[in-house]
Amino acid sequence: MTDFDIETATRAIDAALGGPGGLGLVFTVFAGVPGVTRIPARKSLFRSDPERVQIGSWRYEVTRDQRIRADHIVGGIVLAEELLPAAAIAPHLARALAEIATSYGPPALPHLAAALEVLADAG
């Protein structure tokens, strides 16, 4: 992979979302990519927080009604918030991954290629 292709990434993510692993698999696979941070779900008696994944400047979490909340975060401040249906998440994630490819450059490309290959095989 010499360049990041958003269309290929969208297709691989979309295929994995329709497969048995779903969004959990997608979050798990991308957790190993530089610039991606996965925060596991926390549950306690009085409070619970869903699993969150930050890809570049976007943070994703699944809401109680199974939609995906995407927050655009810059400098620790939420600048924008979107509520996406599950079907619209693949292109959004692909654009966030393109941001990683641009920010980290060539060292991140093999990680992204490997993650997308796993997703394509899982779908």
Side-chain angles (χ1 to χ4, degrees):
M1 178 184 247
T2 59
D3 204 13
F4 186 79
D5 182 19
I6 292 177
E7 293 300 319
T8 302
T10 300
R11 284 192 300 275
I13 294 167
D14 220 12
L17 289 172
L23 188 61
L25 173 67
V26 173
F27 281 175
T28 299
V29 166
F30 287 124
V33 173
V36 177
T37 305
R38 184 177 184 191
I39 303 158
R42 291 187 322 178
K43 295 180 182 182
S44 67
L45 185 60
F46 300 108
R47 183 177 148 183
S48 65
D49 293 324
E51 176 182 25
R52 294 180 177 160
V53 173
Q54 183 150 349
I55 300 175
S57 63
W58 287 93
R59 181 177 63 201
Y60 299 94
E61 69 181 58
V62 179
T63 63
R64 291 178 193 228
D65 61 355
Q66 299 305 305
R67 291 186 291 175
I68 289 84
R69 190 172 102 193
D71 297 330
H72 188 218
I73 300 174
V74 176
I77 299 170
V78 177
L79 298 179
E81 184 179 301
E82 295 180 48
L83 205 51
L84 306 167
I89 191 67
H92 205 281
L93 284 171
R95 287 190 302 274
L97 291 168
E99 180 184 319
I100 294 284
T102 302
S103 298
Y104 284 79
L109 294 177
H111 295 281
L112 289 166
L116 291 173
E117 186 175 321
V118 167
L119 291 181
D121 290 343

